Amino acid sequence: VGISWLERGGVYVEANIRGGGEYGPDWHQSALKKNRNKCYEDFIAVGKHLIDSKICTPATLACRGGSNGGLLTGNMLVQAPDLFGAIHIAVPLLDMKRYHKLLAGASWMAEYGDPDTDDWEEFLYKYSPYHNIDAKRDNYPNVLLTTSTRDDRVHPAHARKMVKKLWDLGEGKNWSVFYYENIEGGHGGAADSKQEAFMTSLSYDFMWRALTSTIPKNE
């Protein structure tokens, strides 16, 4: 973070939103299943506070998250696209209709819910980024999706399907969608320190270039 972001003049903010473990079990359990929307509402509120505080503007605000954090940033793309200039979605859960059928997904139903029941219509659909892409939008923020071919927890199909749908629906529109899949590394996305350094640099360089308008639209 230091050399990749702060030394270039960026500001780094850690959002401690409901659903995390920062303040104990009650804090975590307050945003499970039908209350999952609370963690996304909290994250949006943090972003709006940064803008209201003049720390940034929507054009200079980026976010990144991986795994469950990839579900978070995936929802930022579809729920609050006008709030961000760049979004990095890493090793993510994105298709909440089928997540429980892929790899370790079934073990997370206590967290998210069961899409084969009424949970899907009642609340799961609302925070399934894959199902909430708005084909009518002319603009989405710059987005980078990354995954690992050998991820043994969150299947790379989540990222692959999402980027394919974004590319298809965004054809001819101002949707800058980038994708990188590492063939090694498991759920961490990198197999060794060299790869980890590359993936971190890729993320921060993407966000910096996107926010400073130095990333070509068709790169």
mmCIF file of all heavy atoms in Angstrom, residues 158-198:
data_model
loop_
_atom_site.group_PDB
_atom_site.id
_atom_site.type_symbol
_atom_site.label_atom_id
_atom_site.label_comp_id
_atom_site.label_asym_id
_atom_site.label_seq_id
_atom_site.Cartn_x
_atom_site.Cartn_y
_atom_site.Cartn_z
ATOM 1 N N HIS A 158 -17.111 -17.744 -11.310
ATOM 2 C CA HIS A 158 -17.780 -16.512 -10.880
ATOM 3 C C HIS A 158 -17.226 -15.311 -11.652
ATOM 4 O O HIS A 158 -17.982 -14.516 -12.221
ATOM 5 C CB HIS A 158 -17.582 -16.293 -9.381
ATOM 6 C CG HIS A 158 -18.410 -17.171 -8.511
ATOM 7 N ND1 HIS A 158 -19.721 -16.879 -8.189
ATOM 8 C CD2 HIS A 158 -18.123 -18.342 -7.876
ATOM 9 C CE1 HIS A 158 -20.205 -17.819 -7.396
ATOM 10 N NE2 HIS A 158 -19.252 -18.730 -7.189
ATOM 11 N N ALA A 159 -15.906 -15.174 -11.645
ATOM 12 C CA ALA A 159 -15.282 -14.045 -12.332
ATOM 13 C C ALA A 159 -15.402 -14.170 -13.844
ATOM 14 O O ALA A 159 -15.662 -13.181 -14.546
ATOM 15 C CB ALA A 159 -13.814 -13.936 -11.926
ATOM 16 N N ARG A 160 -15.227 -15.374 -14.352
ATOM 17 C CA ARG A 160 -15.296 -15.581 -15.803
ATOM 18 C C ARG A 160 -16.664 -15.224 -16.354
ATOM 19 O O ARG A 160 -16.796 -14.533 -17.379
ATOM 20 C CB ARG A 160 -14.978 -17.043 -16.127
ATOM 21 C CG ARG A 160 -13.548 -17.470 -15.838
ATOM 22 C CD ARG A 160 -13.417 -18.978 -15.926
ATOM 23 N NE ARG A 160 -12.078 -19.458 -15.634
ATOM 24 C CZ ARG A 160 -11.780 -20.736 -15.424
ATOM 25 N NH1 ARG A 160 -12.739 -21.656 -15.477
ATOM 26 N NH2 ARG A 160 -10.540 -21.099 -15.163
ATOM 27 N N LYS A 161 -17.715 -15.697 -15.685
ATOM 28 C CA LYS A 161 -19.081 -15.414 -16.148
ATOM 29 C C LYS A 161 -19.394 -13.932 -16.064
ATOM 30 O O LYS A 161 -20.038 -13.366 -16.952
ATOM 31 C CB LYS A 161 -20.086 -16.198 -15.299
ATOM 32 C CG LYS A 161 -20.073 -17.693 -15.514
ATOM 33 C CD LYS A 161 -20.891 -18.426 -14.477
ATOM 34 C CE LYS A 161 -22.332 -17.983 -14.469
ATOM 35 N NZ LYS A 161 -23.149 -18.758 -13.496
ATOM 36 N N MET A 162 -18.947 -13.311 -14.991
ATOM 37 C CA MET A 162 -19.237 -11.893 -14.791
ATOM 38 C C MET A 162 -18.581 -11.039 -15.870
ATOM 39 O O MET A 162 -19.223 -10.158 -16.459
ATOM 40 C CB MET A 162 -18.761 -11.460 -13.406
ATOM 41 C CG MET A 162 -19.112 -10.033 -13.029
ATOM 42 S SD MET A 162 -20.870 -9.892 -12.626
ATOM 43 C CE MET A 162 -20.904 -8.231 -11.906
ATOM 44 N N VAL A 163 -17.310 -11.308 -16.140
ATOM 45 C CA VAL A 163 -16.614 -10.485 -17.129
ATOM 46 C C VAL A 163 -17.180 -10.725 -18.528
ATOM 47 O O VAL A 163 -17.303 -9.789 -19.335
ATOM 48 C CB VAL A 163 -15.089 -10.736 -17.076
ATOM 49 C CG1 VAL A 163 -14.695 -12.045 -17.720
ATOM 50 C CG2 VAL A 163 -14.334 -9.579 -17.703
ATOM 51 N N LYS A 164 -17.565 -11.974 -18.823
ATOM 52 C CA LYS A 164 -18.163 -12.261 -20.140
ATOM 53 C C LYS A 164 -19.485 -11.519 -20.296
ATOM 54 O O LYS A 164 -19.774 -10.934 -21.363
ATOM 55 C CB LYS A 164 -18.395 -13.767 -20.280
ATOM 56 C CG LYS A 164 -19.057 -14.198 -21.596
ATOM 57 C CD LYS A 164 -18.187 -13.886 -22.793
ATOM 58 C CE LYS A 164 -18.636 -14.621 -24.059
ATOM 59 N NZ LYS A 164 -19.999 -14.271 -24.486
ATOM 60 N N LYS A 165 -20.296 -11.500 -19.249
ATOM 61 C CA LYS A 165 -21.582 -10.807 -19.319
ATOM 62 C C LYS A 165 -21.386 -9.299 -19.439
ATOM 63 O O LYS A 165 -22.093 -8.630 -20.201
ATOM 64 C CB LYS A 165 -22.423 -11.133 -18.078
ATOM 65 C CG LYS A 165 -23.872 -10.676 -18.168
ATOM 66 C CD LYS A 165 -24.679 -11.216 -16.994
ATOM 67 C CE LYS A 165 -26.152 -10.826 -17.117
ATOM 68 N NZ LYS A 165 -26.956 -11.376 -15.993
ATOM 69 N N LEU A 166 -20.414 -8.769 -18.722
ATOM 70 C CA LEU A 166 -20.128 -7.338 -18.819
ATOM 71 C C LEU A 166 -19.626 -6.974 -20.215
ATOM 72 O O LEU A 166 -20.014 -5.941 -20.773
ATOM 73 C CB LEU A 166 -19.090 -6.938 -17.768
ATOM 74 C CG LEU A 166 -19.587 -6.866 -16.324
ATOM 75 C CD1 LEU A 166 -18.412 -6.761 -15.350
ATOM 76 C CD2 LEU A 166 -20.538 -5.683 -16.118
ATOM 77 N N TRP A 167 -18.765 -7.808 -20.771
ATOM 78 C CA TRP A 167 -18.276 -7.553 -22.123
ATOM 79 C C TRP A 167 -19.417 -7.611 -23.135
ATOM 80 O O TRP A 167 -19.507 -6.763 -24.024
ATOM 81 C CB TRP A 167 -17.199 -8.572 -22.495
ATOM 82 C CG TRP A 167 -15.836 -8.254 -21.940
ATOM 83 C CD1 TRP A 167 -15.393 -7.052 -21.482
ATOM 84 C CD2 TRP A 167 -14.754 -9.168 -21.783
ATOM 85 N NE1 TRP A 167 -14.100 -7.156 -21.038
ATOM 86 C CE2 TRP A 167 -13.670 -8.442 -21.217
ATOM 87 C CE3 TRP A 167 -14.578 -10.527 -22.048
ATOM 88 C CZ2 TRP A 167 -12.441 -9.028 -20.930
ATOM 89 C CZ3 TRP A 167 -13.355 -11.119 -21.759
ATOM 90 C CH2 TRP A 167 -12.299 -10.367 -21.216
ATOM 91 N N ASP A 168 -20.295 -8.607 -23.007
ATOM 92 C CA ASP A 168 -21.386 -8.767 -23.971
ATOM 93 C C ASP A 168 -22.390 -7.624 -23.874
ATOM 94 O O ASP A 168 -22.757 -7.013 -24.886
ATOM 95 C CB ASP A 168 -22.096 -10.100 -23.734
ATOM 96 C CG ASP A 168 -21.265 -11.292 -24.175
ATOM 97 O OD1 ASP A 168 -20.256 -11.087 -24.877
ATOM 98 O OD2 ASP A 168 -21.624 -12.430 -23.807
ATOM 99 N N LEU A 169 -22.848 -7.337 -22.661
ATOM 100 C CA LEU A 169 -23.858 -6.283 -22.484
ATOM 101 C C LEU A 169 -23.281 -4.889 -22.697
ATOM 102 O O LEU A 169 -24.013 -3.960 -23.039
ATOM 103 C CB LEU A 169 -24.470 -6.375 -21.076
ATOM 104 C CG LEU A 169 -25.281 -7.633 -20.768
ATOM 105 C CD1 LEU A 169 -25.816 -7.576 -19.336
ATOM 106 C CD2 LEU A 169 -26.438 -7.795 -21.745
ATOM 107 N N GLY A 170 -21.970 -4.751 -22.479
ATOM 108 C CA GLY A 170 -21.351 -3.430 -22.585
ATOM 109 C C GLY A 170 -20.789 -3.105 -23.950
ATOM 110 O O GLY A 170 -20.182 -2.047 -24.132
ATOM 111 N N GLU A 171 -21.005 -3.987 -24.896
ATOM 112 C CA GLU A 171 -20.470 -3.738 -26.238
ATOM 113 C C GLU A 171 -21.030 -2.428 -26.807
ATOM 114 O O GLU A 171 -22.239 -2.224 -26.846
ATOM 115 C CB GLU A 171 -20.807 -4.905 -27.171
ATOM 116 C CG GLU A 171 -20.152 -4.794 -28.533
ATOM 117 C CD GLU A 171 -20.378 -6.032 -29.389
ATOM 118 O OE1 GLU A 171 -21.019 -6.995 -28.904
ATOM 119 O OE2 GLU A 171 -19.913 -6.039 -30.545
ATOM 120 N N GLY A 172 -20.134 -1.556 -27.230
ATOM 121 C CA GLY A 172 -20.532 -0.269 -27.787
ATOM 122 C C GLY A 172 -20.836 0.792 -26.748
ATOM 123 O O GLY A 172 -21.248 1.901 -27.099
ATOM 124 N N LYS A 173 -20.639 0.455 -25.455
ATOM 125 C CA LYS A 173 -20.912 1.404 -24.372
ATOM 126 C C LYS A 173 -19.612 1.754 -23.646
ATOM 127 O O LYS A 173 -18.565 1.165 -23.905
ATOM 128 C CB LYS A 173 -21.914 0.802 -23.379
ATOM 129 C CG LYS A 173 -23.244 0.412 -23.998
ATOM 130 C CD LYS A 173 -24.135 -0.267 -22.981
ATOM 131 C CE LYS A 173 -25.426 -0.741 -23.617
ATOM 132 N NZ LYS A 173 -26.286 -1.484 -22.652
ATOM 133 N N ASN A 174 -19.708 2.702 -22.736
ATOM 134 C CA ASN A 174 -18.545 3.140 -21.984
ATOM 135 C C ASN A 174 -18.373 2.273 -20.729
ATOM 136 O O ASN A 174 -18.467 2.751 -19.608
ATOM 137 C CB ASN A 174 -18.687 4.616 -21.608
ATOM 138 C CG ASN A 174 -17.424 5.186 -21.002
ATOM 139 O OD1 ASN A 174 -16.321 4.678 -21.241
ATOM 140 N ND2 ASN A 174 -17.564 6.242 -20.217
ATOM 141 N N TRP A 175 -18.144 0.980 -20.962
ATOM 142 C CA TRP A 175 -17.889 0.037 -19.876
ATOM 143 C C TRP A 175 -16.456 -0.466 -20.047
ATOM 144 O O TRP A 175 -16.184 -1.272 -20.938
ATOM 145 C CB TRP A 175 -18.838 -1.159 -19.934
ATOM 146 C CG TRP A 175 -20.287 -0.862 -19.728
ATOM 147 C CD1 TRP A 175 -20.900 0.352 -19.747
ATOM 148 C CD2 TRP A 175 -21.332 -1.829 -19.512
ATOM 149 N NE1 TRP A 175 -22.257 0.214 -19.551
ATOM 150 C CE2 TRP A 175 -22.546 -1.117 -19.402
ATOM 151 C CE3 TRP A 175 -21.358 -3.210 -19.402
ATOM 152 C CZ2 TRP A 175 -23.764 -1.738 -19.177
ATOM 153 C CZ3 TRP A 175 -22.564 -3.845 -19.182
ATOM 154 C CH2 TRP A 175 -23.756 -3.110 -19.064
ATOM 155 N N SER A 176 -15.549 -0.009 -19.210
ATOM 156 C CA SER A 176 -14.151 -0.439 -19.290
ATOM 157 C C SER A 176 -13.942 -1.615 -18.344
ATOM 158 O O SER A 176 -13.831 -1.434 -17.129
ATOM 159 C CB SER A 176 -13.221 0.716 -18.928
ATOM 160 O OG SER A 176 -13.314 1.743 -19.887
ATOM 161 N N VAL A 177 -13.918 -2.825 -18.885
ATOM 162 C CA VAL A 177 -13.860 -4.048 -18.090
ATOM 163 C C VAL A 177 -12.577 -4.808 -18.423
ATOM 164 O O VAL A 177 -12.339 -5.164 -19.573
ATOM 165 C CB VAL A 177 -15.085 -4.945 -18.368
ATOM 166 C CG1 VAL A 177 -15.044 -6.189 -17.499
ATOM 167 C CG2 VAL A 177 -16.380 -4.166 -18.153
ATOM 168 N N PHE A 178 -11.760 -5.058 -17.398
ATOM 169 C CA PHE A 178 -10.480 -5.737 -17.577
ATOM 170 C C PHE A 178 -10.464 -7.025 -16.763
ATOM 171 O O PHE A 178 -11.094 -7.111 -15.717
ATOM 172 C CB PHE A 178 -9.331 -4.818 -17.143
ATOM 173 C CG PHE A 178 -9.295 -3.510 -17.886
ATOM 174 C CD1 PHE A 178 -10.039 -2.421 -17.439
ATOM 175 C CD2 PHE A 178 -8.549 -3.367 -19.041
ATOM 176 C CE1 PHE A 178 -10.022 -1.213 -18.126
ATOM 177 C CE2 PHE A 178 -8.529 -2.171 -19.737
ATOM 178 C CZ PHE A 178 -9.266 -1.087 -19.278
ATOM 179 N N TYR A 179 -9.712 -8.008 -17.263
ATOM 180 C CA TYR A 179 -9.712 -9.328 -16.623
ATOM 181 C C TYR A 179 -8.312 -9.909 -16.608
ATOM 182 O O TYR A 179 -7.575 -9.824 -17.592
ATOM 183 C CB TYR A 179 -10.644 -10.262 -17.391
ATOM 184 C CG TYR A 179 -10.749 -11.657 -16.825
ATOM 185 C CD1 TYR A 179 -11.329 -11.877 -15.574
ATOM 186 C CD2 TYR A 179 -10.283 -12.757 -17.547
ATOM 187 C CE1 TYR A 179 -11.435 -13.168 -15.064
ATOM 188 C CE2 TYR A 179 -10.397 -14.045 -17.034
ATOM 189 C CZ TYR A 179 -10.974 -14.240 -15.791
ATOM 190 O OH TYR A 179 -11.079 -15.506 -15.283
ATOM 191 N N TYR A 180 -7.956 -10.507 -15.452
ATOM 192 C CA TYR A 180 -6.684 -11.220 -15.351
ATOM 193 C C TYR A 180 -6.900 -12.493 -14.546
ATOM 194 O O TYR A 180 -7.457 -12.448 -13.436
ATOM 195 C CB TYR A 180 -5.611 -10.363 -14.665
ATOM 196 C CG TYR A 180 -4.270 -11.055 -14.596
ATOM 197 C CD1 TYR A 180 -3.386 -10.984 -15.663
ATOM 198 C CD2 TYR A 180 -3.900 -11.796 -13.476
ATOM 199 C CE1 TYR A 180 -2.156 -11.630 -15.626
ATOM 200 C CE2 TYR A 180 -2.686 -12.448 -13.424
ATOM 201 C CZ TYR A 180 -1.810 -12.365 -14.499
ATOM 202 O OH TYR A 180 -0.604 -13.017 -14.450
ATOM 203 N N GLU A 181 -6.475 -13.613 -15.111
ATOM 204 C CA GLU A 181 -6.583 -14.900 -14.411
ATOM 205 C C GLU A 181 -5.196 -15.519 -14.270
ATOM 206 O O GLU A 181 -4.534 -15.823 -15.272
ATOM 207 C CB GLU A 181 -7.507 -15.858 -15.168
ATOM 208 C CG GLU A 181 -7.654 -17.211 -14.477
ATOM 209 C CD GLU A 181 -8.746 -18.074 -15.101
ATOM 210 O OE1 GLU A 181 -9.759 -17.517 -15.596
ATOM 211 O OE2 GLU A 181 -8.591 -19.311 -15.081
ATOM 212 N N ASN A 182 -4.762 -15.687 -13.040
ATOM 213 C CA ASN A 182 -3.494 -16.342 -12.772
ATOM 214 C C ASN A 182 -3.710 -17.858 -12.839
ATOM 215 O O ASN A 182 -4.690 -18.365 -12.291
ATOM 216 C CB ASN A 182 -2.990 -15.947 -11.382
ATOM 217 C CG ASN A 182 -1.554 -16.370 -11.141
ATOM 218 O OD1 ASN A 182 -0.876 -16.821 -12.055
ATOM 219 N ND2 ASN A 182 -1.092 -16.230 -9.916
ATOM 220 N N ILE A 183 -2.812 -18.584 -13.477
ATOM 221 C CA ILE A 183 -2.995 -20.030 -13.615
ATOM 222 C C ILE A 183 -2.508 -20.789 -12.381
ATOM 223 O O ILE A 183 -2.644 -22.003 -12.300
ATOM 224 C CB ILE A 183 -2.290 -20.576 -14.875
ATOM 225 C CG1 ILE A 183 -0.775 -20.340 -14.797
ATOM 226 C CG2 ILE A 183 -2.876 -19.943 -16.121
ATOM 227 C CD1 ILE A 183 -0.009 -21.031 -15.923
ATOM 228 N N GLU A 184 -1.944 -20.076 -11.410
ATOM 229 C CA GLU A 184 -1.474 -20.692 -10.175
ATOM 230 C C GLU A 184 -2.071 -19.958 -8.979
ATOM 231 O O GLU A 184 -2.837 -19.024 -9.133
ATOM 232 C CB GLU A 184 0.059 -20.624 -10.099
ATOM 233 C CG GLU A 184 0.770 -21.339 -11.232
ATOM 234 C CD GLU A 184 2.269 -21.220 -11.132
ATOM 235 O OE1 GLU A 184 2.778 -20.113 -11.365
ATOM 236 O OE2 GLU A 184 2.917 -22.225 -10.811
ATOM 237 N N GLY A 185 -1.742 -20.430 -7.765
ATOM 238 C CA GLY A 185 -1.990 -19.609 -6.595
ATOM 239 C C GLY A 185 -3.141 -19.958 -5.686
ATOM 240 O O GLY A 185 -3.222 -19.428 -4.596
ATOM 241 N N GLY A 186 -4.084 -20.796 -6.112
ATOM 242 C CA GLY A 186 -5.194 -21.090 -5.226
ATOM 243 C C GLY A 186 -6.048 -19.868 -4.938
ATOM 244 O O GLY A 186 -6.072 -18.904 -5.699
ATOM 245 N N HIS A 187 -6.741 -19.905 -3.801
ATOM 246 C CA HIS A 187 -7.671 -18.822 -3.479
ATOM 247 C C HIS A 187 -6.955 -17.512 -3.179
ATOM 248 O O HIS A 187 -7.536 -16.441 -3.302
ATOM 249 C CB HIS A 187 -8.536 -19.232 -2.284
ATOM 250 C CG HIS A 187 -9.665 -18.281 -2.011
ATOM 251 N ND1 HIS A 187 -10.530 -17.825 -3.003
ATOM 252 C CD2 HIS A 187 -10.073 -17.673 -0.862
ATOM 253 C CE1 HIS A 187 -11.406 -17.001 -2.481
ATOM 254 N NE2 HIS A 187 -11.158 -16.884 -1.188
ATOM 255 N N GLY A 188 -5.691 -17.582 -2.793
ATOM 256 C CA GLY A 188 -4.925 -16.365 -2.549
ATOM 257 C C GLY A 188 -4.566 -15.628 -3.819
ATOM 258 O O GLY A 188 -4.150 -14.462 -3.761
ATOM 259 N N GLY A 189 -4.714 -16.294 -4.963
ATOM 260 C CA GLY A 189 -4.477 -15.636 -6.237
ATOM 261 C C GLY A 189 -3.019 -15.576 -6.645
ATOM 262 O O GLY A 189 -2.691 -15.064 -7.713
ATOM 263 N N ALA A 190 -2.109 -16.069 -5.790
ATOM 264 C CA ALA A 190 -0.683 -16.041 -6.098
ATOM 265 C C ALA A 190 -0.007 -17.245 -5.450
ATOM 266 O O ALA A 190 -0.352 -17.647 -4.338
ATOM 267 C CB ALA A 190 -0.052 -14.747 -5.592
ATOM 268 N N ALA A 191 0.972 -17.822 -6.148
ATOM 269 C CA ALA A 191 1.622 -19.031 -5.670
ATOM 270 C C ALA A 191 2.860 -18.755 -4.824
ATOM 271 O O ALA A 191 3.307 -19.618 -4.074
ATOM 272 C CB ALA A 191 2.011 -19.915 -6.857
ATOM 273 N N ASP A 192 3.437 -17.557 -4.946
ATOM 274 C CA ASP A 192 4.639 -17.223 -4.189
ATOM 275 C C ASP A 192 4.716 -15.712 -4.015
ATOM 276 O O ASP A 192 3.839 -14.963 -4.476
ATOM 277 C CB ASP A 192 5.896 -17.764 -4.892
ATOM 278 C CG ASP A 192 5.985 -17.345 -6.355
ATOM 279 O OD1 ASP A 192 5.580 -16.206 -6.685
ATOM 280 O OD2 ASP A 192 6.456 -18.151 -7.180
ATOM 281 N N SER A 193 5.760 -15.265 -3.351
ATOM 282 C CA SER A 193 5.897 -13.828 -3.042
ATOM 283 C C SER A 193 6.008 -12.987 -4.307
ATOM 284 O O SER A 193 5.488 -11.868 -4.359
ATOM 285 C CB SER A 193 7.123 -13.604 -2.153
ATOM 286 O OG SER A 193 6.971 -14.258 -0.911
ATOM 287 N N LYS A 194 6.664 -13.518 -5.329
ATOM 288 C CA LYS A 194 6.809 -12.775 -6.575
ATOM 289 C C LYS A 194 5.452 -12.541 -7.224
ATOM 290 O O LYS A 194 5.142 -11.432 -7.681
ATOM 291 C CB LYS A 194 7.741 -13.525 -7.523
ATOM 292 C CG LYS A 194 8.015 -12.786 -8.836
ATOM 293 C CD LYS A 194 8.996 -13.554 -9.698
ATOM 294 C CE LYS A 194 9.280 -12.803 -11.001
ATOM 295 N NZ LYS A 194 10.240 -13.568 -11.854
ATOM 296 N N GLN A 195 4.636 -13.598 -7.273
ATOM 297 C CA GLN A 195 3.302 -13.460 -7.856
ATOM 298 C C GLN A 195 2.419 -12.557 -7.004
ATOM 299 O O GLN A 195 1.622 -11.775 -7.536
ATOM 300 C CB GLN A 195 2.655 -14.834 -8.018
ATOM 301 C CG GLN A 195 3.264 -15.690 -9.115
ATOM 302 C CD GLN A 195 2.504 -16.987 -9.330
ATOM 303 O OE1 GLN A 195 1.407 -17.172 -8.822
ATOM 304 N NE2 GLN A 195 3.096 -17.908 -10.080
ATOM 305 N N GLU A 196 2.560 -12.664 -5.691
ATOM 306 C CA GLU A 196 1.768 -11.816 -4.802
ATOM 307 C C GLU A 196 2.098 -10.349 -5.022
ATOM 308 O O GLU A 196 1.209 -9.488 -5.061
ATOM 309 C CB GLU A 196 2.014 -12.202 -3.351
ATOM 310 C CG GLU A 196 1.160 -11.425 -2.360
ATOM 311 C CD GLU A 196 1.368 -11.861 -0.928
ATOM 312 O OE1 GLU A 196 2.205 -12.762 -0.683
ATOM 313 O OE2 GLU A 196 0.691 -11.307 -0.042
ATOM 314 N N ALA A 197 3.391 -10.052 -5.183
ATOM 315 C CA ALA A 197 3.808 -8.677 -5.443
ATOM 316 C C ALA A 197 3.245 -8.186 -6.780
ATOM 317 O O ALA A 197 2.795 -7.040 -6.897
ATOM 318 C CB ALA A 197 5.331 -8.581 -5.445
ATOM 319 N N PHE A 198 3.249 -9.075 -7.779
ATOM 320 C CA PHE A 198 2.700 -8.701 -9.086
ATOM 321 C C PHE A 198 1.212 -8.400 -8.997
ATOM 322 O O PHE A 198 0.732 -7.399 -9.550
ATOM 323 C CB PHE A 198 2.938 -9.818 -10.098
ATOM 324 C CG PHE A 198 2.214 -9.598 -11.409
ATOM 325 C CD1 PHE A 198 2.700 -8.703 -12.347
ATOM 326 C CD2 PHE A 198 1.024 -10.262 -11.686
ATOM 327 C CE1 PHE A 198 2.022 -8.475 -13.537
ATOM 328 C CE2 PHE A 198 0.338 -10.049 -12.866
ATOM 329 C CZ PHE A 198 0.847 -9.149 -13.798
#
